[in-house]
């Protein structure tokens, strides 16, 4: 196990190595572009030693914002053949070549977080306020099903191949997807990545979006994949609360923000699966819950909803594996401890879960989760994700968000 000072040094070196000048890639080779929520995590890592660079990371992300307010999940600043699908497949319509979908909107929360630590940068936070409002308005206009926030592609949630998509995907026949060559499995072993079955459907959904020029009104009516998701709903609700705090500070009106908060508080109830006793996804097309307890289910505290509804599930799952929170409940038949979002532990998700737990007064649980994750990292390095049973590192290495949350916890 490496000591904390060595880990701090290594984490800073990883951020420096993944820095491409104004933005950070999640890891070299596997993900050679700027990803949305990865960048926000990068910013809080930089904040530990370089506030200016932290702000720049988020400012660069917002340079890719579309005219309709959407902030893409990938910005293709410089074409790199090592990643598929690239800009020619996505055909995004923004100012920088990009994908056509978004990602969990954690930026509002962490812009406020940066501002609290660096009040002198108020003009930079203020300049980001309107773009943030425009982005949130895009979600509330196009992705709002009774206050629950929906996605039109699994990649949008960041939990690419979690078992929540198995039901919705079974209803999709990926017709007309041209032959393609994955690059991810040239960088990472196949057992730790999504299956071909999933990739066929990912590409089918990209094709549908690209063909209509990412017209949200059209997709709302026609896409077979429209699923309300806890990652999106809970991170947007939380970020909206943080936008409100910034609006008050900047003496901006809060009426619209208040309406969004009330809507999403109601909408969160649509994600409550009383039968399974958990927050999960709700498949709008099929009209049913997905029935999976995932690490996203435990973001309810972070969103400030549900009281302690998830506490029993949390304690049960925390006791099942050496390292937690696994991305899928180990008691679920689809759990696979090494396969990406179907089981492994993700440090940055743990940071969000621990933040919520601490704020809700579960300080001991928040500390235990943080300590468990820090022990996992110091023993196994800054991997993309980890096997919950033994901590074995998996996916990409020298990973930005794992290094970043390490530093954020240290600062
Ligand atoms: C993973 O997703 C990308 C597609 O967006 C991929 O597998 O190619 C997810 O873990 C996602 O949450 C993350 O933002 C991205 C980059 O780290 O990788």
């Amino acid at each position: 196990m490496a000591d904390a000072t060595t880990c701090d040094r290594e984490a800073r070196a990883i951020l420096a190595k993944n820095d491409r000048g104004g933005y950070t890639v999640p890891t070299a080779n596997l993900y050679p572009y700027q990803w949305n929520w990865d960048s926000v995590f990068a910013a809080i890592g930089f904040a530990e030693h370089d506030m200016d660079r932290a702000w720049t990371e988020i400012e660069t992300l917002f340079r890719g914002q579309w005219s309709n307010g959407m902030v893409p999940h990938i910005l293709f600043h410089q074409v790199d053949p090592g990643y598929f699908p690239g800009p020619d497949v996505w055909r995004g319509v923004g100012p920088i070549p990009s994908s056509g979908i978004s990602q969990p909107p954690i930026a509002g929360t962490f812009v406020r977080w940066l501002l609290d630590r660096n009040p002198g940068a108020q003009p930079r936070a203020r300049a980001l306020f309107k773009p943030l409002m425009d982005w949130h308005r895009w979600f509330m206009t196009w992705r709002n099903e009774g206050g629950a926030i929906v996605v039109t592609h699994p990649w949008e949630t960041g939990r690419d191949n979690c078992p929540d998509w198995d039901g919705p995907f079974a209803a999709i026949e990926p017709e007309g997807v041209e032959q393609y060559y994955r690059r991810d499995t040239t960088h990472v072993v196949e057992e730790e990545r999504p299956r071909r079955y999933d990739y066929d459907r990912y590409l089918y959904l990209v094709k549908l979006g690209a063909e209509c020029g990412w017209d949200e009104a059209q997709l709302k009516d026609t896409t077979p994949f429209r699923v309300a998701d806890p990652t999106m709903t809970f991170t947007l609700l939380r970020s909206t609360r943080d936008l409100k705090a910034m609006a008050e500070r900047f003496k901006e009106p809060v009426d619209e923000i208040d309406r969004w908060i009330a809507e999403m508080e109601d909408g969160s109830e649509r994600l409550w699966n009383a039968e399974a006793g958990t927050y999960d996804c709700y498949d709008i097309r099929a009209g049913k819950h997905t029935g999976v307890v995932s690490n996203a289910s435990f973001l309810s505290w972070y969103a400030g909803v549900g009281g302690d509804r998830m506490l029993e599930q949390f304690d049960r799952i925390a006791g099942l594996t050496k390292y937690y929170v696994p991305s899928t409940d180990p008691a679920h038949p689809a759990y696979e401890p090494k396969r990406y979002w179907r089981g492994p532990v993700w440090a940055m998700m743990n940071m969000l879960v621990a933040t919520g737990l601490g704020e809700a007064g579960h300080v001991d649980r928040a500390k235990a989760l943080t300590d468990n994750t820090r022990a996992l990292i110091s023993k196994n390095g800054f991997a993309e994700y980890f096997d919950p049973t033994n901590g074995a590192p998996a996916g990409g290495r020298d990973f930005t968000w794992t290094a970043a949350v390490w530093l954020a916890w240290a600062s």
Side-chain angles (χ1 to χ4, degrees):
M1 186 177 299
D3 65 50
T5 316
T6 309
C7 287
D8 289 354
R9 207 178 316 120
E10 210 182 308
R12 286 182 210 117
I14 288 171
L15 292 190
K17 180 174 136 184
N18 292 340
D19 186 351
R20 296 292 176 271
Y23 71 95
T24 311
V25 299
T27 183
N29 305 321
L30 179 63
Y31 303 127
Y33 296 115
Q34 183 175 22
W35 260 261
N36 189 319
W37 68 333
D38 298 66
S39 258
V40 178
F41 285 113
I44 65 172
F46 280 122
E48 185 259 353
H49 54 282
D50 187 346
M51 267 298 174
D52 176 53
R53 183 62 188 77
W55 287 104
T56 303
E57 185 77 28
I58 298 181
E59 288 159 356
T60 306
L61 176 66
F62 275 86
R63 288 207 345 251
Q65 184 167 35
W66 289 13
S67 58
N68 67 359
M70 200 273 281
V71 182
H73 104 291
I74 308 176
L75 296 180
F76 302 108
H77 292 285
Q78 270 184 340
V79 175
D80 187 319
Y83 183 81
F84 177 84
D88 50 324
V89 181
W90 279 102
R91 293 187 276 151
V93 296
I96 294 174
S98 73
S99 67
I101 56 169
S102 201
Q103 249 191 340
I106 60 169
T109 295
F110 290 104
V111 164
R112 181 186 175 197
W113 189 97
L114 290 179
L115 179 61
D116 285 346
R117 283 158 182 74
N118 182 205
Q122 177 143 327
R124 294 177 88 166
R126 232 184 171 304
L128 285 164
F129 181 75
K130 183 179 178 302
L132 280 163
M133 285 292 290
D134 291 345
W135 188 24
H136 282 223
R137 196 174 295 111
W138 175 83
F139 276 112
M140 297 311 288
T141 305
W142 298 114
R143 302 308 191 78
N144 178 355
E145 290 280 349
I149 305 303
V150 299
V151 292
T152 56
H153 196 298
W155 279 339
E156 204 155 41
T157 66
R159 304 188 299 123
D160 299 9
N161 67 336
C162 64
D164 288 285
W165 319 133
D166 293 0
F169 266 13
I172 293 177
E173 201 37 64
E175 277 165 13
V177 172
E178 284 171 26
Q179 190 174 22
Y180 63 91
Y181 298 98
R182 287 173 64 171
R183 307 284 190 280
D184 58 320
T185 42
T186 65
H187 305 299
V188 170
V189 293
E190 266 182 54
E191 295 67 39
E192 295 174 8
R193 292 290 304 174
R195 297 187 162 84
R196 174 109 202 162
Y197 172 92
D198 296 312
Y199 257 80
D200 286 349
R201 283 155 184 80
Y202 298 154
L203 291 167
Y204 176 69
L205 294 176
V206 171
K207 180 169 135 27
L208 287 187
E211 277 172 1
C212 72
W214 300 102
D215 178 342
E216 288 292 332
Q218 188 172 326
L219 283 173
K220 186 172 183 208
D221 292 337
T222 57
T223 179
F225 190 90
R226 195 166 169 85
V227 184
D229 168 71
T231 335
M232 300 312 265
T233 307
F234 292 156
T235 57
L236 188 69
L237 174 50
R238 169 57 188 258
S239 275
T240 306
R241 296 189 197 281
D242 292 307
L243 274 192
K244 179 171 176 177
M246 285 193 281
E248 283 166 346
R249 193 155 169 171
F250 303 155
K251 309 227 172 339
E252 294 280 347
V254 294
D255 306 17
E256 188 181 20
I257 301 178
D258 277 337
R259 276 200 304 278
W260 292 343
I261 292 173
E263 267 192 78
M264 282 187 276
E265 284 179 345
D266 284 352
S268 299
E269 275 312 290
R270 299 197 69 186
L271 300 179
W272 177 250
N273 180 342
E275 203 181 314
T278 189
Y279 287 104
D280 64 2
C281 291
Y282 188 83
D283 182 346
I284 302 291
R285 297 298 185 232
K288 61 180 184 202
H289 284 276
T290 54
V292 186
V293 188
S294 69
N295 49 356
S297 307
F298 300 111
L299 293 176
S300 53
W301 289 289
Y302 176 79
V305 295
D308 283 339
R309 261 178 177 174
M310 289 303 298
L311 206 56
E312 222 177 292
Q313 295 275 22
F314 182 83
D315 289 343
R316 176 181 66 81
I317 285 190
L320 291 179
T321 50
K322 180 165 185 206
Y323 297 105
Y324 63 107
V325 179
S327 37
T328 299
D329 178 359
H332 192 281
Y335 167 72
E336 293 179 79
K338 285 197 188 315
R339 198 180 289 279
Y340 209 37
W341 287 91
R342 297 178 81 84
V345 170
W346 295 74
M348 79 323 159
M349 287 295 281
N350 284 359
M351 191 224 173
L352 302 183
V353 172
T355 299
L357 278 169
E359 288 169 351
H362 301 297
V363 179
D364 292 351
R365 286 181 179 84
K367 184 172 183 318
L369 175 57
T370 308
D371 289 349
N372 183 272
T373 312
R374 283 176 67 81
L376 169 69
I377 296 171
S378 59
K379 214 164 160 200
N380 300 283
F382 294 91
E384 183 180 6
Y385 44 93
F386 304 85
D387 182 332
T389 59
N390 57 10
R397 302 301 148 91
D398 292 347
F399 215 85
T400 292
W401 63 22
T402 311
V405 301
W406 174 275
L407 291 172
W409 271 325
S411 64

